[in-house]
Amino acid sequence: MSSREVIVLSVGGVRFVTRASTLQQFPESRLARMVNDDDREFKLVNGEFFVDRDGALFSYIMDFLRTLQVSLPTDFSDYQRLQREAEFYGLYPLAKLLSQEHLLKPRPEILEVRFSLQELQAFFQLFGSCSATIEALAEQITVFTGQQSGQGWSSPFSSQKPLVPLPLERPSHHDMVFRCGTEYSAGDQFVARYVSIKPDNRKLINGTNVLGLLLDTLLKDGFRLISTRTVASEEKIECYTFERMKRAPGLAIMVNQTPGSSGVAQARRSQVQKGK
């Protein structure tokens, strides 16, 4: 049996197909003994090993055996049940990782948008608990500047005067600042600032329109609005606070591949994450 390359398992009615070497990652586990025909509890029926256990939870065990990493969905909650399944299969390194539930649980990511209107200009400040999210938003948001005649939020920019992109202000890795609207230049000329937010290709000058597009972009990116408030100051800054559950970095196992290894190894943080 150990010479078979492909193994078929039916776990609680869910069918899995994998390599024998995958099930033998941890030689002392019951799955490795099953492949070697050393565990009589696993019955071979019509060429498939039948296991009377939870098939849905076994999918996470198979993912661990294939990647040597624990990375669970943000809505996962059955840590104790999955730990029991890992102990049943003799995968004690996995069971030990699952006992560190606090390391595996997703963490809330907070993002705050501050918005204020001052005459013909709108000011935006974004603060985020995750610098990577701010970096991603900075790549989506572009501010363009150019001169125009006349005054007002809705004055169209001249196609004869190309707009010039401006860098966003980045006070730190966790925040950024930008503005839109018009300000007086000379004569009847005004400096206009337009904002574009990908994937929307419009260039908006009205601060309220930019705010609406920004909030919609955050909602589509998985954030949910948890509070709104107005700062008690002369500027009357509106604050919008968003939250998104961020997947915890996966915990990985380094397996000792030397002959006779028990498969017990030290866990380490992995920078590789699955999904968002």
Side-chain angles (χ1 to χ4, degrees):
M1 181 65 68
S2 60
S3 64
R4 292 184 57 180
E5 182 179 1
V6 177
I7 301 294
V8 181
L9 300 92
S10 177
V11 183
V14 182
R15 194 168 181 265
F16 297 88
V17 181
T18 187
R19 292 180 179 273
S21 58
T22 300
L23 299 176
Q24 293 170 322
Q25 289 277 17
F26 298 87
E28 293 183 357
S29 70
R30 295 189 67 183
L31 292 172
R33 296 202 305 270
M34 176 195 72
V35 174
N36 297 327
D37 204 20
D38 290 336
D39 194 315
R40 297 182 179 180
E41 184 171 337
F42 296 107
K43 304 297 183 181
L44 189 62
V45 180
N46 298 325
E48 300 182 4
F49 284 102
F50 174 74
V51 185
D52 190 19
R53 302 293 293 190
D54 191 306
L57 291 178
F58 189 74
S59 65
Y60 299 115
I61 290 177
M62 282 302 309
D63 183 67
F64 169 75
L65 290 174
R66 288 165 175 155
T67 65
L68 299 182
Q69 178 174 304
V70 182
S71 185
L72 302 170
T74 55
D75 59 350
F76 186 82
S77 59
D78 289 334
Y79 294 93
Q80 291 185 347
R81 290 183 59 211
L82 184 55
Q83 182 180 347
R84 285 200 303 268
E85 292 300 294
E87 291 171 348
F88 170 80
Y89 292 108
L91 296 170
Y92 298 109
L94 173 58
K96 184 177 180 180
L97 289 185
L98 290 168
S99 68
Q100 304 177 65
E101 186 176 330
H102 64 286
L103 298 178
L104 295 169
K105 281 187 173 181
R107 296 171 174 81
E109 176 186 354
I110 303 299
L111 182 69
E112 184 176 85
V113 177
R114 295 187 178 183
F115 169 73
S116 66
L117 290 174
Q118 298 178 23
E119 297 181 349
L120 296 176
Q121 293 190 78
F123 295 82
F124 296 83
Q125 281 187 301
L126 275 68
F127 302 87
S129 61
C130 178
S131 61
T133 297
I134 297 297
E135 291 290 345
L137 285 171
E139 294 180 358
Q140 290 180 258
I141 299 173
T142 306
V143 177
F144 298 90
T145 185
Q147 286 196 340
Q148 67 177 43
S149 299
Q151 180 177 348
W153 289 82
S154 59
S155 300
F157 56 84
S158 172
S159 60
Q160 297 178 352
K161 296 180 180 180
L163 298 177
V164 179
L166 293 176
L168 297 176
E169 296 180 45
R170 296 293 308 277
S172 74
H173 292 296
H174 289 272
D175 61 337
M176 65 178 170
V177 179
F178 62 92
R179 57 193 168 101
C180 64
T182 59
E183 58 183 333
Y184 178 76
S185 176
D188 63 346
Q189 295 295 311
F190 287 81
V191 175
R193 289 175 184 256
Y194 302 84
V195 174
S196 177
I197 304 177
K198 297 177 182 178
D200 192 299
N201 58 8
R202 291 174 297 167
K203 295 180 177 64
L204 303 176
I205 193 173
N206 184 294
T208 303
N209 292 341
V210 173
L211 176 64
L213 179 58
L214 177 59
L215 300 186
D216 185 59
T217 299
L218 294 175
L219 293 172
K220 289 181 179 179
D221 202 29
F223 283 95
R224 65 184 185 93
L225 182 64
I226 59 175
S227 71
T228 61
R229 70 185 191 278
T230 300
V231 175
S233 70
E234 295 180 359
E235 297 178 347
K236 293 185 179 179
I237 300 174
E238 298 177 13
C239 294
Y240 301 83
T241 303
F242 291 83
E243 181 185 68
R244 179 174 67 181
M245 297 307 293
K246 181 184 178 185
R247 182 190 300 274
L251 287 180
I253 283 287
M254 298 297 293
V255 178
N256 186 351
Q257 298 293 350
T258 57
S261 165
S262 66
V264 178
Q266 184 177 5
R268 63 175 175 85
R269 285 271 187 185
S270 172
Q271 297 303 318
V272 180
Q273 297 188 30
K274 294 182 180 180
K276 188 181 284 187

